[in-house]
Amino acid sequence: MKRLLSTFAVAGAFGLCAVSAQAAKLDQVKSKGFIQCGVSQGLPGFSTPDDKGNWTGLDVDFCRAVAAAVFNDPTKVKFTPLSAKDRFTALQSGDIDILSRNTTWTITRDTSLGLNFTGVTYYDGQGFMIRKDKKVNSALELSGASVCTQTGTTTEQNLADYFRANNMTYEVIAFATNDEVVKAYDAGRCDVLTTDRSGLAGERLKLTNPDDHVVLPEIISKEPLGPVVAHGDDQWFDIVKWVLFAQINAEELGVTSKNVDEQQKSATNPEIKRLLGTEGKFGEGMGIGNDWAYQIVKSIGNYGEMYDRNVGPATPLKLERGANALWTKGGQQYGMPIR
Amino acid sequence: MSLTFDDGTFIRTEMVAPMPPPRRQVGVIGWMRENLFSSIPNTILTLVGLGLVLLIVPPLIRFMFIDAIWTGQNREACLGPEAGACWPFIKAKFGQLIYGFYPIDQRWRPDVVFATGAILLVPLLVLSWPFKRLNAFLFFVIYPIVAFILLTGGNINLQAFLFEHFGLLHSVFGHVHVAGVNLVFWADYVLTALIVVAAIGGVIGLIGGDGRAAARSTMWVFFAFGLLVVAWDIDFGLPYVETRQWGGLLVTLVIAVTGIVASLPLGILLALGRRSQMPVVRLLSVVFIEFWRGVPLITVLFFATYMLPLFLPQGSNPDGLLRALVGVALFSAAYMAEVIRGGLQAIPKGQYEGAMAMGLTWSQMMRLIILPQALTLVIPGIVNSFISLFKDTTLVLIVSIFDFLGQLRASFTDPNWASPVTLYTGFAFAGVVYFLFCFGMSRYSLFVERRLNTSHRH
């Protein structure tokens, strides 16, 4: 078996370098045989190594879905765990092909960093957690409360904005790391814990008595989290974008990983036929197989399955669909039509 | 007349058996009086110390052993108000903490590397055992090559040496592989070697030097380097495991050992260079040392990992771990150089003059007289650098290499094991592991110091 540890030992030592021309991202990915995907260094439900050392989570599964679409094989992906600081640099330098790391879509990031957001895999927002015995039912009753949060994050800024807009006073108790924040809240050093709602669900598991705490209904910020690709390759941008749309479309049409084989053979609904590639040639337009969506749903499942497996009510995180439900069910997930 | 002293006084004829010393002066009580309660400040310090021990140790033992949970499948086991350390968490993540994401069926390879390393290292450390030269050769030359082949899988993809870059041989031979060895590459290599050897021999000979000797030594360089590369090129049938999959203690040790082994010789060279009489060598050494001491390690690692690819041409992307390794080695070499320079400065001038009077050359003087004394003097400083290097390896987390601590932190985020005690358990375990390594190094350095330093004791 031959491999690309490359000529560094030899050519590098003698100062010789092979120069190859810049190729399209899809061709690069195909020739190296896998997708390099940047994920978080550990975020419950989004990307975390399990006991066997496999990466699991929503962000991780999304990258596998892209691999399924490109290679018909969800295992052809390699993960680079990245910190918040180095994630964009890694994408810009071409070290990774996709960044799927709970990254909030903002105008600054989308326009001035040379990046493209391809969609929203999870609509998050900042929320509050408080002890049940405080008998608080709404964030608007929090005036005068002490709030635990992490320093130097947008969380702190959102908090200040929200309390000022509602003419409430508060005292902020900030810590450098998330673990310290949780420990301080658990020890009763502050009344309220604030971070993204998905984060709250994860932090709750670390509390001594998780059932004594309640998450307030208010969401005080918009945190649409989505995958990101680098500027300069529209074909690759299209593929990553449509992988997510395909998953949402599959859920809208009731196509799951369990019934996808049967649907591919016997479905009469033209929308399903177009999705699964038995009608039309939509994969070709992106440079991948026409059964791309079939491969995604077969190996990773539709959006709902992916959600339930990683963060849904049956997991320790117990996150309800909420804003992430389909648009037909009161949520915001809306798959652009495949036709 | 006889003189008698019989005036009724008693005269002892034998010595009185000594009284036992007062009970308060001997035994446990005496020791305590002397060492713990000899003065008022000492007494206060003793009581404060005792109080601290009582404050810390019993709860620690309670947490780590008495209240600890020893079995369980997931977080459910470690919940509850009275739960102590959650050891099943460590058990479940143990493989990852040691090997990172190394494929489970291939983990015997790091095992072999660990075991061989230990087998070769122990006789090297025990000063009285024989065969030091052979042992050092095995450990410092053969072992890294074997370890590299075992850990990565060897069989690197050699593409081009010199001529092949211009496509000269490919068109004639095509690509021929035998047992994973790229024959075209080696034809290229031999051809290049011959040309370079002939050129060097010719040029040296023309300007009046010993052309033959120059050609011979160049040939040896090519030969040794060729042996090294051919070992990497052979296909041993081991599946390739890329360095991204390495992690845990494996990465910590790889970085620390490489850093330690590379920084000592480099540091000696730099220290000698800095004290050299030759202005260019001295200037270069000073610039190198001051540059690396002037930038933080985090900056070095970040630059090596994310900025370097922007400057290098597409396709020649050195491995991420290798980049970090080079950064760490150069960084610690600069610090080591200063430690060793301290030792060199402590050697009295008479030693240099004596050596010169004996007619020794500069390298003999350094090798036989100066360095052995200087290095012995700065053993504490050297080991200090080693220990801080060992702990600094955790910084590679910021360039997405999961060392022992990084792997542990990643494990904390597994929702299946999230519990109030998971964090404490993990850090307690990490503390014990780091302590064992650092304390081991520190004790060994004390031992060596005592062994080598006997003549200096007053």
Side-chain angles (χ1 to χ4, degrees), chain A residues 1-3 5 7 10 16 36 41-42 44 48-51 53 78 80-82 86 179 183 205-207, chain B residues 75 93 96 101 154-155 157 159 161 180 240 242 244 306 314 397-398 400 402 413-414 417-418 420 423-424:
Chain A
M1 170 181 153
K2 275 289 163 182
R3 56 213 43 169
L5 213 110
T7 50
V10 179
L16 302 168
Q36 195 75 49
Q41 291 180 333
T48 169
D50 68 4
D51 288 354
K78 293 183 178 175
T80 306
L82 295 167
D86 54 24
D179 291 322
K183 288 294 170 198
L205 301 173
K206 297 178 185 162
L207 298 175
Chain B
R75 62 186 293 269
K93 303 289 182 189
Q96 272 178 69
F101 300 110
N155 192 12
N157 194 6
Q159 285 160 339
F161 191 67
Y240 177 51
E242 56 168 354
R244 273 181 202 284
Y306 294 110
Q314 282 268 324
L397 178 62
I398 68 137
S400 308
F402 278 16
T413 60
D414 187 348
W417 285 104
L423 195 69
Y424 298 145

Side-chain angles (χ1 to χ4, degrees), chain B residues 221-239:
Chain B
V221 170
F222 269 101
F223 182 70
F225 189 69
L227 271 188
L228 188 74
V229 178
V230 87
W232 289 343
D233 195 14
I234 294 171
D235 188 355
F236 292 98
L238 295 170

Side-chain angles (χ1 to χ4, degrees), chain B residues 270-292:
Chain B
L270 284 168
L272 290 176
R274 196 169 182 167
R275 286 171 59 81
S276 163
Q277 306 287 331
M278 295 179 274
V280 177
V281 172
R282 190 171 60 229
L283 184 73
L284 286 179
S285 305
V286 170
V287 167
F288 182 92
I289 293 172
E290 295 306 330
F291 172 77
W292 287 99

